[in-house]
Amino acid sequence: MVPSAVVYLQSMPLTPNAKVDRKALPAPEYSQNNQNYVAPSTPIQVALVNIWSELLNIENVSIKDNFFELGGHSLLAMQLNTKIRNVFNVDLILRSLFDNSTIESLSNLIDLEIKKGNKLEIFISKISRNQDIPLSFTQERLWFLSQFEPDNAAYNERLAIEIKGSLNFLALEESLNQIIERHEALRTNFAFVNGNPVQIIAKKRVLELSQISLENIDNANFEAEIEKLFIKEGQKLFNLSEDLLFRTTLIKINEQYHVLLFIFSHIVWDGWSFGVFVREIATLYQSYTQNKTPELAKLPIQYADYAYWQRQWMQGEVFEKQLAYWKEKLAGKLSFLQLPIDKPRPPIQTFAGRRFLKVLPSKLLKEIQQLSRNNSATLFMTLLAAFQTLLYRYSGSEDILVGSPIANRNHPDIENLIGVFINTLVMRSDLSSNPTFEQLLARVKDVTLGAYSNQDIPFEALVEKLQPERNLSRSTFSKSCLFFKMLLFLK
């Protein structure tokens, strides 16, 4: 959600109806040096320019421009790698994108791989629904946790969207039901069949949008009331075998202001799904309010197809190769991370915690970004190194493990699906020998790129193979592993 460019205007261009005229907004000047612009000269370079323009949302990309200096980061680099696989049918290790961060050098690398004949063929096919459909690895873990702790609502996902202006209730309700129709994951329940959990996909599920009015609440208090409703709805449990695993509540503040609350079970939803959902609900709602037929590209596969493919693909040589990497990285004793705490740890984790947000001043952020560029690292890598330094200072441990969620959307056919694809990677860094920060950053970069290149093996399968010590007071691996998630806000 952090913009890759900020453009200052004297005033916003407006339509005759006094609304922002988006089409009249000027395009940002992204090229590092427009005077030194070099156009693509080969078919590979042309294709890469188109890919970069789409991912970075910019035009006039020079083949001399640096992907990461134009706003690229690790997540976009993985999307870039996915698109390269799809367009050129070659498989590049993620590290090569960092070592070849201009179109000029990257096109030479792709050309070399094509000439070598190193083609990659990974296809996800549609499967028959007249069979027992297995859960994906992530779904299986969440299903197991729901059986183990049936009264725990920690895996309910929440989203709130403000709607300003007049609201067409019927169009909104129709849009929501169209999304449920479009994505099988939102019509899926889970059952135990022949000793195994399976997906049960309904042909039709209908959502009735519930409404709550806060029109009589004082303006100074309605935000607190919304927060109470948000928490209350989020604590309601889902029955995974029967319920529609997707709830909505429309809160009416007045005729021109509504808040739409969404509660999802994590077993059918992840963070990436929020972006897919918001894009599609905006397109559908706009079409229905204008009595037009919605134009959404047909989905090539559904989540059940992916789950079945994942079970078949993640075995044999593919599985053993990635498992060997993680066995090496997580070898030895995973020491307990001794952090100073002011309360005793409960025998069973309660999930009672709080989120701390720190707003970085823009000047500091720019300096951190420059430090990242100087070391050919992403902002995530630099802040991860800083976080691990903090843990080292407080714990005294030189062996720091940090868990980091990853989208795991590394196939083009699953980029626009709603479902749970997320995986967890363990970033283990060595802080011995009193390294400088830049030396540590080089170590963290190496660890991060290695983890990204071996991200396919499900965290659940890794836990099963490595058999770490189980402790009800902590999540698996968290005896030595804290979890790091980065959100940036510009001050």
Side-chain angles (χ1 to χ4, degrees):
M1 300 297 290
V2 180
S4 55
V6 176
V7 178
Y8 292 93
L9 303 175
Q10 292 296 326
S11 61
M12 298 294 284
L14 302 178
T15 66
N17 296 325
K19 294 183 178 180
V20 175
D21 186 353
R22 297 180 182 275
K23 294 182 180 180
L25 291 170
E29 294 288 346
Y30 281 96
S31 185
Q32 296 175 34
N33 188 343
N34 289 326
Q35 295 179 346
N36 296 326
Y37 171 78
V38 180
S41 58
T42 69
I44 294 178
Q45 290 180 356
V46 170
L48 285 175
V49 165
N50 291 333
I51 293 172
W52 283 30
S53 295
E54 178 186 349
L55 288 177
L56 300 171
N57 194 28
I58 61 178
E59 298 179 356
N60 301 323
V61 177
S62 169
I63 65 171
K64 300 287 187 179
D65 284 342
N66 186 294
F67 181 79
F68 298 99
E69 292 185 11
L70 292 182
H73 47 71
S74 300
L75 180 59
L76 284 176
M78 284 184 277
Q79 289 183 261
L80 172 61
N81 207 14
T82 298
K83 291 186 179 296
I84 288 174
R85 289 177 184 174
N86 192 40
V87 173
F88 302 106
N89 200 25
V90 297
D91 189 23
L92 303 178
I93 61 173
L94 192 63
R95 187 183 301 275
S96 65
L97 300 184
F98 283 78
D99 296 336
N100 300 272
S101 54
T102 68
I103 288 177
E104 184 177 44
S105 61
L106 185 57
S107 64
N108 292 334
L109 177 63
I110 293 173
D111 184 53
L112 180 62
E113 291 297 314
I114 292 175
K115 290 177 179 177
K116 287 181 179 178
N118 295 334
K119 292 187 176 182
L120 177 74
E121 295 185 358
I122 298 179
F123 301 105
I124 303 179
S125 303
K126 291 184 178 181
I127 63 170
S128 170
R129 299 303 188 257
N130 297 322
Q131 61 179 305
D132 290 342
I133 301 175
L135 279 61
S136 69
F137 288 105
T138 305
Q139 281 184 324
E140 187 175 62
R141 174 172 178 251
L142 292 168
W143 180 86
F144 171 79
L145 290 172
S146 72
Q147 306 303 303
F148 189 67
E149 298 179 293
D151 298 328
N152 189 349
Y155 291 98
N156 285 359
E157 295 288 316
R158 308 172 190 180
L159 172 68
I161 297 178
E162 286 185 314
I163 304 175
K164 296 180 179 179
S166 58
L167 176 68
N168 186 324
F169 179 86
L170 294 179
L172 178 59
E173 188 174 54
E174 178 64 22
S175 301
L176 293 169
N177 278 290
Q178 184 61 38
I179 288 180
I180 295 173
E181 178 70 21
R182 177 174 167 82
H183 294 275
E184 278 187 357
L186 300 180
R187 293 183 275 115
T188 299
N189 290 106
F190 303 88
F192 209 50
V193 177
N194 298 324
N196 295 302
V198 298
Q199 299 187 49
I200 307 297
I201 303 170
K203 291 184 179 180
K204 185 75 173 179
R205 294 298 296 263
V206 177
L207 178 143
E208 294 182 1
L209 180 58
S210 61
Q211 300 182 73
I212 295 176
S213 175
L214 297 183
E215 291 178 284
N216 297 324
I217 301 295
D218 185 85
N219 288 340
N221 299 321
F222 78 82
E223 289 187 0
E225 289 298 319
I226 292 176
E227 181 68 19
K228 289 179 183 178
L229 287 169
F230 203 33
I231 294 174
K232 180 182 177 181
E233 290 296 316
Q235 292 300 317
K236 291 181 180 178
L237 300 173
F238 287 103
N239 184 327
L240 299 187
S241 63
E242 297 178 0
D243 293 347
L244 180 65
L245 303 180
F246 165 34
R247 286 197 300 265
T248 60
T249 302
L250 180 66
I251 302 175
K252 182 178 182 180
I253 310 302
N254 55 53
E255 291 294 336
Q256 297 295 313
Y257 183 31
H258 297 76
V259 176
L260 191 59
L261 301 184
F262 299 91
I263 310 295
F264 302 85
S265 172
H266 196 14
I267 201 168
V268 298
W269 188 275
D270 61 15
W272 186 293
S273 298
F274 282 119
V276 176
F277 176 83
V278 170
R279 289 196 303 272
E280 293 191 354
I281 196 73
T283 299
L284 291 166
Y285 179 77
Q286 185 177 28
S287 297
Y288 288 133
T289 54
Q290 297 175 0
N291 294 318
K292 295 180 179 179
T293 301
E295 295 182 0
L296 290 175
K298 185 178 180 180
L299 297 173
I301 61 170
Q302 290 287 337
Y303 187 86
D305 303 312
Y306 161 79
Y308 183 87
W309 168 83
Q310 185 193 40
R311 292 282 179 176
Q312 304 302 310
W313 184 66
M314 186 44 62
Q315 56 183 323
E317 182 180 352
V318 174
F319 181 84
E320 293 300 330
K321 181 181 178 181
Q322 296 202 20
L323 179 62
Y325 170 84
W326 288 109
K327 280 185 174 180
E328 178 185 350
K329 288 299 178 183
L330 300 177
K333 184 179 179 181
L334 304 179
S335 57
F336 181 78
L337 190 64
Q338 293 284 1
L339 290 173
I341 55 177
D342 57 2
K343 295 180 181 179
R345 179 178 293 276
I348 299 178
Q349 59 181 330
T350 64
F351 297 96
R354 303 187 74 176
R355 177 178 296 173
F356 175 76
L357 297 179
K358 173 65 176 178
V359 180
L360 300 180
S362 58
K363 181 177 182 295
L364 174 59
L365 180 59
K366 289 178 181 177
E367 292 172 346
I368 297 174
Q369 290 172 325
Q370 186 60 51
L371 174 64
S372 302
R373 287 192 290 269
N374 292 344
N375 289 273
S376 299
T378 65
L379 186 60
F380 174 85
M381 295 172 184
T382 303
L383 293 182
L384 176 58
F387 182 58
Q388 291 184 320
T389 301
L390 179 71
L391 298 180
Y392 163 72
R393 295 290 189 186
Y394 274 97
S395 68
S397 174
E398 296 178 341
D399 183 22
I400 302 294
L401 290 83
V402 171
S404 176
I406 189 168
N408 203 30
R409 305 256 185 161
N410 50 10
H411 193 286
D413 286 350
I414 64 177
E415 288 187 347
N416 294 314
L417 282 180
I418 288 177
V420 56
F421 298 88
I422 192 171
N423 198 13
T424 300
L425 302 179
V426 182
M427 309 292 191
R428 187 180 193 180
S429 295
D430 176 16
L431 280 83
S432 63
S433 304
N434 192 28
T436 65
F437 185 79
E438 290 191 331
Q439 289 172 333
L440 174 61
L441 180 53
R443 297 179 189 180
V444 170
K445 176 184 175 182
D446 183 68
V447 166
T448 304
L449 292 177
Y452 288 160
S453 297
N454 294 274
Q455 65 175 281
D456 301 300
I457 186 168
F459 182 71
E460 298 72 34
L462 188 62
V463 171
E464 180 182 346
K465 291 294 182 180
L466 298 183
Q467 291 292 309
E469 178 184 335
R470 301 276 185 170
N471 189 325
L472 293 179
S473 69
R474 305 169 184 272
S475 299
T476 305
F477 271 125
S478 68
K479 65 174 186 174
S480 56
C481 179
L482 290 183
F483 283 78
F484 177 70
K485 202 169 185 179
M486 181 177 67
L487 294 173
L488 285 181
F489 299 90
L490 302 182
K491 184 175 181 181

